[in-house]
Amino acid sequence: MNKRATIEDVARIAGVSTATVSRTIHTPDIVSDSTRQAVFGAIDQTGFTLNQAARNLRQRRANAVIVLVPDIGNTFFSEILAGIERVASAANQTILIGDAGQDPRRAEKFLNALINGQADGALLLNGHLPPSLVERFGPSGATLPPIVSVSEGLEQQVVPHVGIDNAAAACMAVQYLIDHGHRRIAHLRGPADNILTRQRHQGFLDGMKDAGLTVAPDHIFDGDFTIESGIAAARSLVNQTNSPTVIFCSNDEMAIGLMSECAVLGLRVPQDVSVIGFDDIAFSKVASPRLTTIRQPRLDIGEAAMKLLLGLIAADAVPDAAMETHDVQLIERDSVRFLR
Amino acid sequence: MNKRATIEDVARIAGVSTATVSRTIHTPDIVSDSTRQAVFGAIDQTGFTLNQAARNLRQRRANAVIVLVPDIGNTFFSEILAGIERVASAANQTILIGDAGQDPRRAEKFLNALINGQADGALLLNGHLPPSLVERFGPSGATLPPIVSVSEGLEQQVVPHVGIDNAAAACMAVQYLIDHGHRRIAHLRGPADNILTRQRHQGFLDGMKDAGLTVAPDHIFDGDFTIESGIAAARSLVNQTNSPTVIFCSNDEMAIGLMSECAVLGLRVPQDVSVIGFDDIAFSKVASPRLTTIRQPRLDIGEAAMKLLLGLIAADAVPDAAMETHDVQLIERDSVRFLR
DNA sequence: GAAAGGTATGTAAACCTTTACATATTTATG
DNA sequence: CATAAATATGTAAAGGTTTACATACCTTTC
């Protein structure tokens, strides 16, 4: 059992001190040619790699960030993750992914990584900053560690945020529907405690109000961002007397579930009822009919968030509440009918 | 700037030695009641948390495993991940997720975590064990660190594997199609260099052969597991004279893309052509028509793989080439027509 | 040729735990 | 009551880096 080579082994073989080895590795330029050759030779010979735990301990830095997602099995998040991953990897940062689920205690547990030195910063995709963390770092979170919220904003936005203007985007969707002759517009919302739900619903209401339209109470459906809740919405829709001409769904999963169930129930989309979604996930362009929706630049958002976080970490800066808003785009496909 | 509390601070406040604090934290039972109280009191007072880097360094253990996926934005992997995550979290293990993409160098880079002490084991979902790693750990990989391959087997299966019997599953799909009266059966394959592609294609060929059926050369389509390649397959299908009655797609993404494009091209599924998929991703049950497919128990596979890996790590055992095969299930929906 | 500056390297402390070993105290045993 | 065993705690080394500071040597400059 030959144990792993340490920097000391390399130093001995190369005939230099450990300090020189360390320098050779991190700043090759400052050592002499002969030393550099000797050290790299010894490294090759021993198969040495730096022990990260020792490095992290000494530097008091983890070179890792934690990414907290509400559901890693959800394609929406996994594409943001891909953006995060890309930037992290380029910056030689490890990402620790935590699936917080619905359990705030799990979220808290993951964020412990910030305190115990496992991570230098955090990306919050689940819209919740555990109060205990804020508490720990003094009143008003004045000295919070580097944290950036992504996509879902926080109740108290005490850290920078990267995402879109959800209300404006929802309002834009409504305007598009109105332009297409729709008046009886329904909204299938997300889960009640979600901040996106509120923002998008507000945008929906604003859009309706701007156009002088009223919203029938039974034109507001409650879902939870899952395919299943879209299916359920279709079922309650079909029993309705004063039926809407179009349903604005707060995400694509629900829209796709809803359209699928409409087909089962004999309701044609868009002839009998139109549907518009939100997010533009990959499957939206192969849904039946192909789903008109609002595209979020998820990859960009993930990349931007990670860059922002790295900046925060590098500058050793305390996060403020700056917002970085990315543009959305309405993707016109076949699920919204033009009413004459 | 009050720095973080160390175990020494806690020891001082509690009036004990650092060794006792460490013991109190990890094996509370072996210290006296009064000591325990004093230590926990001091911990609360200081807000102390263990520095993981120091712990990892001393224990020569990272309490983390690396998970290598080919594409984190793919729903198929993200559900396996959810299973992995669940078990890891219960065992207090951190998971480091690496998106290897198509670049073997990136995979290698991530697996460095095994060598530099950042991870105690690895879960390989991308079907490739970098040769350099095997080389490093001696001939025939006799002393490889704990590694388990998941879903995609390795060319040289030198580590345990958790997945399904892909050939048998593909064969089962073919039999199902034959039972439904199909004879001209096509196969839309995955990317050429993928081991799943070979296994599933072999199963397809076996199933055809068993039934005494021949496969027309132009009934083999090449895809790459993406929605887009399904769309492309539909386009080449439509130009064909000797057209198949059904297409067995090597995954659901391609099947869904194919069905969507068939609709665009005026080809009705399943009246004009039937489709069967593989994986049973969430969107398959809301595709149009609802997709008949083969379900892989992804959550189970993820959980089983992680458990296996943890066992390997705990036992300090060298992995062998054991296989753990999970059962698949044919999910019958509406995309395969019963030919009279 | 002495002083100053630059370059390359070495020495040793620090980072924060865990744990083998030693020691002190208490309890059980004959 | 002496001894053995069990319990509770302390001491100090070890884990593998990085880095402030010191040192040695080589150039340059006046």
Side-chain angles (χ1 to χ4, degrees):
Chain A
M1 252 319 110
N2 51 344
K3 4 185 333 185
R4 272 192 7 228
T6 71
I7 204 170
E8 207 156 338
D9 300 325
V10 174
R12 192 168 358 90
I13 293 176
V16 298
S17 72
T18 60
T20 299
V21 175
S22 179
R23 280 190 280 256
T24 309
I25 295 170
H26 297 108
T27 47
D29 293 344
I30 71 163
V31 303
S32 71
D33 285 358
S34 60
T35 302
R36 201 179 318 130
Q37 277 185 12
V39 170
F40 283 133
I43 288 178
D44 279 350
Q45 188 182 324
T46 54
F48 167 78
T49 35
L50 224 48
N51 180 314
Q52 286 294 333
R55 165 173 232 238
N56 293 348
L57 173 59
R58 171 64 223 225
Q59 293 196 144
R60 293 133 127 244
R61 200 160 184 293
N63 296 303
V65 305
I66 177 138
V67 181
L68 210 60
V69 297
D71 174 14
I72 206 173
N74 182 310
T75 78
F76 178 76
F77 296 110
S78 49
E79 251 190 55
I80 294 184
L81 274 180
I84 292 171
E85 219 294 320
R86 182 175 300 181
V87 174
S89 157
N92 262 308
Q93 293 280 317
T94 305
I95 63 178
L96 317 176
I97 300 185
D99 187 338
Q102 295 309 313
D103 189 352
R105 294 223 315 282
R106 291 197 60 193
E108 213 172 320
K109 191 183 135 204
F110 281 120
L111 288 179
N112 254 330
L114 284 177
I115 300 165
N116 68 23
Q118 276 187 114
D120 304 322
L123 251 24
L124 246 44
L125 308 213
N126 66 336
H128 290 292
L129 184 61
S132 65
L133 197 73
V134 179
E135 216 170 280
R136 183 187 193 95
F137 288 94
S140 80
T143 54
L144 274 178
I147 296 178
V148 173
S149 66
V150 188
S151 174
E152 299 191 21
L154 307 182
E155 211 61 55
Q156 305 269 3
Q157 193 67 51
V158 293
V159 300
H161 178 76
V162 176
I164 61 165
D165 185 336
N166 285 283
C171 189
M172 172 173 117
V174 170
Q175 274 161 10
Y176 171 86
L177 298 175
I178 291 169
D179 286 349
H180 279 61
H182 292 272
R183 294 293 175 270
R184 297 203 308 281
I185 304 176
H187 184 199
L188 171 51
R189 300 194 289 191
D193 56 349
N194 189 290
I195 193 161
L196 299 177
T197 298
R198 278 209 306 289
Q199 294 170 341
R200 290 177 191 170
H201 189 60
Q202 191 56 53
F204 165 77
L205 294 176
D206 291 350
M208 294 296 276
K209 194 171 162 202
D210 288 355
L213 296 174
T214 57
V215 180
D218 59 352
H219 282 181
I220 297 177
F221 299 90
D222 284 311
D224 61 6
F225 284 156
T226 64
I227 292 177
E228 281 67 31
S229 70
I231 293 174
R235 291 187 184 144
S236 51
L237 179 69
V238 85
N239 296 323
Q240 207 151 302
T241 50
N242 165 37
S243 59
T245 60
V246 59
I247 301 162
F248 164 49
C249 299
S250 259
N251 80 350
D252 284 358
E253 270 91 345
M254 295 195 296
I256 292 172
L258 184 140
M259 293 197 304
S260 168
E261 191 65 9
C262 280
V264 170
L265 298 169
L267 215 54
R268 294 166 306 166
V269 178
Q271 294 85 343
D272 298 329
V273 61
S274 295
V275 174
I276 187 167
F278 204 114
D279 287 349
D280 192 31
I281 63 175
F283 288 96
S284 296
K285 70 170 171 303
V286 287
S288 170
R290 303 185 321 139
L291 181 66
T292 293
T293 187
I294 292 171
R295 174 179 297 168
Q296 293 201 52
R298 274 162 293 171
L299 212 64
D300 292 348
I301 289 174
E303 291 184 352
M306 188 68 198
K307 280 179 192 160
L308 187 54
L309 183 64
L310 288 178
L312 237 42
I313 292 171
D316 205 8
V318 172
D320 58 13
M323 293 254 178
E324 182 174 326
T325 303
H326 287 243
D327 288 338
V328 300
Q329 195 183 353
L330 201 151
I331 306 293
E332 202 163 5
R333 298 205 183 95
D334 312 326
S335 63
V336 174
R337 181 176 170 207
F338 205 132
L339 294 181
R340 47 147 284 101
Chain B
M1 247 331 102
N2 49 343
K3 359 180 346 183
R4 274 201 354 238
T6 74
I7 205 170
E8 206 157 342
D9 300 326
V10 174
R12 193 167 358 91
I13 293 177
V16 298
S17 72
T18 60
T20 299
V21 174
S22 179
R23 279 189 282 256
T24 308
I25 294 170
H26 297 108
T27 47
D29 293 344
I30 71 163
V31 304
S32 70
D33 285 358
S34 59
T35 302
R36 201 178 319 128
Q37 278 185 10
V39 170
F40 283 133
I43 289 177
D44 280 351
Q45 188 183 325
T46 54
F48 168 78
T49 34
L50 224 49
N51 180 314
Q52 287 293 335
R55 165 171 231 236
N56 293 348
L57 173 58
R58 172 64 223 231
Q59 295 196 144
R60 293 137 127 240
R61 197 159 186 292
N63 297 303
V65 305
I66 177 138
V67 180
L68 211 59
V69 298
D71 175 13
I72 206 175
N74 182 310
T75 79
F76 177 76
F77 296 110
S78 49
E79 254 190 54
I80 294 183
L81 273 180
I84 292 170
E85 220 293 320
R86 183 176 301 184
V87 174
S89 156
N92 262 308
Q93 294 279 317
T94 304
I95 64 178
L96 317 178
I97 300 185
D99 187 338
Q102 295 310 311
D103 188 353
R105 293 222 317 281
R106 290 198 59 195
E108 212 171 319
K109 192 184 136 204
F110 281 120
L111 288 178
N112 255 329
L114 284 178
I115 299 164
N116 68 24
Q118 276 186 117
D120 305 320
L123 251 25
L124 245 46
L125 307 212
N126 66 334
H128 291 292
L129 184 60
S132 65
L133 198 72
V134 179
E135 215 170 281
R136 183 187 193 95
F137 287 94
S140 80
T143 53
L144 274 179
I147 297 178
V148 172
S149 67
V150 187
S151 172
E152 299 191 20
L154 307 182
E155 212 60 57
Q156 306 269 1
Q157 193 66 53
V158 293
V159 300
H161 178 75
V162 176
I164 61 165
D165 184 337
N166 284 284
C171 190
M172 172 173 118
V174 171
Q175 275 161 10
Y176 170 86
L177 298 175
I178 292 168
D179 287 348
H180 279 62
H182 292 273
R183 294 293 175 270
R184 298 204 307 282
I185 305 177
H187 183 198
L188 172 51
R189 300 195 288 192
D193 56 351
N194 189 290
I195 193 161
L196 299 176
T197 298
R198 279 209 304 290
Q199 293 170 342
R200 291 178 190 170
H201 189 59
Q202 193 55 53
F204 165 77
L205 294 175
D206 291 349
M208 295 297 278
K209 194 172 164 202
D210 289 353
L213 296 173
T214 57
V215 180
D218 58 354
H219 283 180
I220 295 177
F221 299 90
D222 285 310
D224 61 5
F225 286 155
T226 63
I227 292 176
E228 280 67 32
S229 70
I231 293 174
R235 292 190 183 140
S236 52
L237 179 70
V238 85
N239 297 324
Q240 207 151 301
T241 50
N242 162 37
S243 60
T245 60
V246 60
I247 300 162
F248 164 47
C249 300
S250 260
N251 80 350
D252 284 357
E253 269 91 345
M254 294 195 296
I256 292 173
L258 185 141
M259 294 198 302
S260 169
E261 191 66 9
C262 280
V264 170
L265 299 168
L267 217 52
R268 293 165 308 164
V269 180
Q271 293 87 342
D272 298 330
V273 61
S274 294
V275 174
I276 187 167
F278 204 112
D279 288 348
D280 192 30
I281 63 174
F283 288 96
S284 296
K285 70 169 171 305
V286 287
S288 173
R290 302 183 324 139
L291 181 66
T292 293
T293 187
I294 291 170
R295 175 180 297 168
Q296 294 200 54
R298 273 161 293 169
L299 212 63
D300 293 348
I301 289 174
E303 290 184 353
M306 187 68 201
K307 281 180 191 159
L308 186 56
L309 183 63
L310 289 178
L312 237 45
I313 293 171
D316 206 8
V318 172
D320 58 13
M323 292 254 182
E324 182 175 325
T325 304
H326 288 243
D327 289 338
V328 300
Q329 194 184 352
L330 202 150
I331 305 293
E332 203 164 3
R333 298 205 184 94
D334 313 326
S335 63
V336 175
R337 181 178 169 204
F338 205 132
L339 294 180
R340 47 148 275 106

